[in-house]
Amino acid sequence: MKQRDFESWSKNDLIKELINLNKRKKFGLVWEPKSEDVADLCKDKLPVLEEAKNYQIISNNSDIFNILIEGDNYHALSVLNYTHKRNIDVIYIDPPYNTGNKTWRYNNNYVEEEDAFRHSKWLSFMEKRLKLAKNLLKDTGSIVISIDHYELFNLGALCDEIFGESNRLGILAVVHKSEGRNQEKFFSTSHEYMLVYAKNKNHVYFKKAILDPEIKESFDREDEKGKYKLKNYLRSGGGDHNLRINKPHFYYPIYVSPDLTDITLAMKEGYHEVLPITSSGQERTWKTIPNTFLKNLKKGEIVAEKDKKNNVQVFQKYREEKGQLVKTYWMDPRYHAIHHGTKLLENIMGNKLFDYPKSLYLIIDILKILASNNAIVLDFFAGSGTTGHAVLELNKEDDGNRKFILCNNNENKICEEVCCPRINKIIKGYTDLKGNKVEGLSSNLKYFRTDFVDAEPTDRN
């Protein structure tokens, strides 16, 4: 870069330079911006959608349709900013990982590992789309981005800038190939990441759903309020803070009738007196003070039963709706990308048509947490259509009414020959490779293609 001679500058030139320096970013990600043909095209023309009715799927009489858009996702997102601004609940995307292995094109050319501007091109590409995507989210909405180590740090800094560091809900490590990659020279990679951001952390929809099948099965009882399991009202866990001597107001007798149907704090003749004392004789405490216990009792959340030694125990109903503590480390055989991604897709389509689809169950589980029963879910890197499949499966599981919008370029005819046929089979049913008939998940789909119309430049378009 040519050195500038500030001594020859006028006072006005120096003032302008000072103003520009004050405007510069003080902290954050800086890269060489790269122009992109698909974005430049929108400067002179207005992107629109044209319906392709020959790809429409109808399997019920509902007027509710899911949407599949064929075309560059920058154009699709531009149109959705007119039709769905602040109307999307959850965005899930699995963008190009920018590995340099000729898996991603920029301006119609593969971006290779030796490209000096590889990261700048990827960041320019992602920034444009994430800014459009942010406009689509409701205040209660969230975005989930799958990524591996190649662009993890850059993506994190970019998302902090666009969505705000304070709106980062978590960085999840997902074990997608527990056996690891045996061809790697150093550490054998076995996991990827999901970056999760809220549009507004103070209003975001977040449900502590039950993801672990074994935990779900432990809710083995049911009443008119739903499924539950019993938890002993005796406060558990180590430490002196659970001892009577340190919390005497949490130590009190509970009285239970001989037939276990009446529970009270008032002493009654013939009733069992139950105290928070362990089998070893240690005086501990109940979970709550007496007033809170009585409130729980009035709600029908307290029950008494006898253990194997015929001792009366007091329990609280722990409701399934309270979910489980969702951790940042996701390891479950259901998340294996080959078994529940690649092979699942082969089983549906009859042969291998797409490399490295995500596990269906991984997407279902993240939607259980972030997508309410009536959510609209957007995936603008739709690939083989796993997100759409996941939405329909989750609706079947919990009787939800979620809808999806998928955006897919048609490189190698992936939209026409993989994504759309997969959704068609999922909706209408199919026969798998073993000859088993799989029942369809009744739904409807409209198929659109991006196009352009001439438009006079205005502030709006």
Side-chain angles (χ1 to χ4, degrees):
M1 182 182 291
K2 187 178 179 180
Q3 189 172 1
R4 291 181 289 183
D5 182 11
F6 293 111
E7 291 183 359
S8 64
W9 283 29
S10 68
K11 179 180 178 181
N12 287 338
D13 290 335
L14 290 170
I15 290 173
K16 287 180 182 178
E17 180 69 9
L18 182 61
I19 291 173
N20 288 331
L21 288 172
N22 284 333
K23 287 180 179 179
R24 287 177 63 178
K25 188 186 297 183
K26 302 300 186 293
F27 176 81
L29 195 60
V30 179
W31 69 92
E32 181 73 24
K34 292 296 175 183
S35 63
E36 188 178 357
D37 294 345
V38 295
D40 292 341
L41 187 59
C42 294
K43 294 177 181 178
D44 301 314
K45 292 182 178 292
L46 186 66
V48 295
L49 299 180
E50 287 190 349
E51 187 174 357
K53 292 191 175 181
N54 55 315
Y55 287 107
Q56 181 174 274
I57 303 170
I58 299 178
S59 71
N60 60 41
N61 296 322
S62 170
D63 59 355
I64 297 175
F65 281 82
N66 300 289
I67 295 173
L68 173 56
I69 302 172
E70 174 195 322
D72 189 273
N73 55 16
Y74 183 87
H75 301 152
L77 288 168
S78 298
V79 177
L80 290 173
N81 264 263
Y82 287 96
T83 62
H84 286 74
K85 195 170 186 178
R86 292 188 293 273
N87 202 31
I88 301 297
D89 295 277
V90 180
I91 297 173
Y92 170 83
I93 56 172
D94 183 21
Y97 284 2
N98 199 21
T99 62
N101 292 330
K102 290 189 176 182
T103 56
W104 173 56
R105 294 174 183 267
Y106 193 80
N107 288 342
N108 295 317
N109 295 313
Y110 282 115
V111 179
E112 300 188 15
E113 189 173 5
E114 294 77 18
D115 190 331
F117 293 102
R118 176 161 66 100
H119 297 293
S120 291
K121 288 177 179 178
W122 190 87
L123 283 166
S124 296
F125 173 85
M126 290 299 297
E127 181 196 35
K128 294 182 184 76
R129 287 152 181 81
L130 290 178
K131 284 184 174 179
L132 289 173
K134 181 183 178 182
N135 295 335
L136 300 175
L137 286 173
K138 293 179 179 177
D139 279 347
T140 55
S142 54
I143 182 169
V144 182
I145 308 173
S146 286
I147 202 68
D148 70 358
H149 59 281
Y150 283 95
E151 294 288 359
L152 172 65
F153 306 122
N154 291 333
L155 179 63
L158 180 64
C159 287
D160 279 356
E161 186 172 295
I162 292 174
F163 298 99
E165 182 181 353
S166 62
N167 288 319
R168 189 198 309 146
L169 300 183
I171 300 174
L172 313 182
V174 180
V175 178
H176 70 296
K177 192 177 182 183
S178 54
E179 66 273 25
R181 296 174 183 164
N182 56 18
Q183 74 274 23
E184 293 193 4
K185 185 177 180 180
F186 299 107
F187 297 102
S188 179
T189 302
S190 61
H191 74 283
E192 294 180 341
Y193 303 91
M194 289 196 299
L195 274 60
V196 187
Y197 284 79
K199 175 73 172 290
N200 185 328
K201 184 187 267 187
N202 296 322
H203 302 290
V204 68
Y205 175 90
F206 190 94
K207 179 182 179 181
K208 290 186 176 180
I210 299 174
L211 307 182
D212 189 323
E214 291 186 6
I215 293 178
K216 191 171 184 67
E217 288 176 6
S218 70
F219 290 85
D220 53 355
R221 305 190 180 208
E222 190 169 5
D223 59 15
E224 67 281 357
K225 295 180 183 177
K227 290 187 176 182
Y228 66 91
K229 61 182 176 182
L230 295 180
K231 281 195 170 184
N232 202 307
Y233 213 66
L234 179 72
R235 187 181 291 275
S236 59
D240 293 342
H241 62 285
N242 292 328
L243 299 179
R244 175 187 182 181
I245 191 172
N246 295 320
K247 286 192 172 182
H249 49 303
F250 282 78
Y251 184 93
Y252 50 89
I254 298 173
Y255 298 93
V256 181
S257 65
D259 62 0
L260 308 179
T261 60
D262 185 33
I263 304 173
T264 178
L265 294 186
M267 182 188 299
K268 291 187 179 182
E269 187 176 349
Y271 276 45
H272 300 280
E273 182 184 61
V274 185
L275 291 166
I277 300 176
T278 65
S279 58
S280 63
Q282 186 182 53
E283 292 184 332
R284 298 184 73 83
T285 63
W286 295 121
K287 291 181 182 294
T288 66
I289 60 175
N291 282 345
T292 306
F293 172 84
L294 290 173
K295 290 178 182 177
N296 290 331
L297 182 64
K298 188 176 181 180
K299 292 177 183 176
E301 297 299 300
I302 304 295
V303 297
E305 292 188 359
K306 288 187 177 180
D307 61 20
K308 294 179 180 179
K309 295 181 179 180
N310 214 35
N311 296 318
V312 176
Q313 303 284 343
V314 176
F315 298 90
Q316 183 174 11
K317 295 178 181 179
Y318 188 83
R319 297 287 174 183
E320 184 182 35
E321 63 191 31
K322 291 184 177 180
Q324 70 178 90
L325 185 65
V326 181
K327 300 177 182 178
T328 57
Y329 182 68
W330 287 30
M331 183 175 181
D332 191 297
R334 297 177 302 118
Y335 302 151
H336 200 290
I338 294 176
H339 301 317
H340 301 292
T342 305
K343 291 185 177 179
L344 174 65
L345 183 60
E346 287 180 31
N347 206 28
I348 296 169
M349 303 300 293
N351 58 339
K352 185 177 180 180
L353 297 170
F354 186 79
D355 291 326
Y356 313 120
K358 285 289 182 285
S359 163
L360 172 68
Y361 304 103
L362 173 65
I363 311 304
I364 288 175
D365 281 357
I366 196 67
L367 293 180
K368 284 181 179 178
I369 298 169
L370 299 173
S372 68
N373 277 30
N374 296 301
I376 300 177
V377 179
L378 169 65
D379 182 349
F380 55 89
F381 288 96
S384 67
T386 304
T387 300
H389 187 173
V391 167
L392 297 178
E393 286 284 358
L394 185 54
N395 281 346
K396 177 187 176 183
E397 182 179 323
D398 64 8
D399 200 28
N401 294 300
R402 301 171 189 85
K403 298 185 291 293
F404 63 78
I405 301 174
L406 306 181
C407 306
N408 216 334
N409 66 25
N410 205 26
E411 188 175 342
N412 299 321
K413 294 194 173 180
I414 184 177
C415 195
E416 293 178 285
E417 297 184 357
V418 182
C419 186
C420 187
R422 176 184 187 171
I423 298 300
N424 190 29
K425 285 175 176 282
I426 297 305
I427 288 176
K428 294 183 177 179
Y430 63 95
T431 301
D432 67 17
L433 292 176
K434 293 182 180 180
N436 300 313
K437 289 187 176 181
V438 179
E439 186 179 350
L441 305 176
S442 179
S443 191
N444 302 316
L445 179 80
K446 283 185 179 290
Y447 190 109
F448 295 90
R449 290 189 176 98
T450 56
D451 201 352
F452 290 89
V453 295
D454 291 325
E456 289 294 326
T458 68
D459 289 341
R460 179 163 173 77
N461 63 26

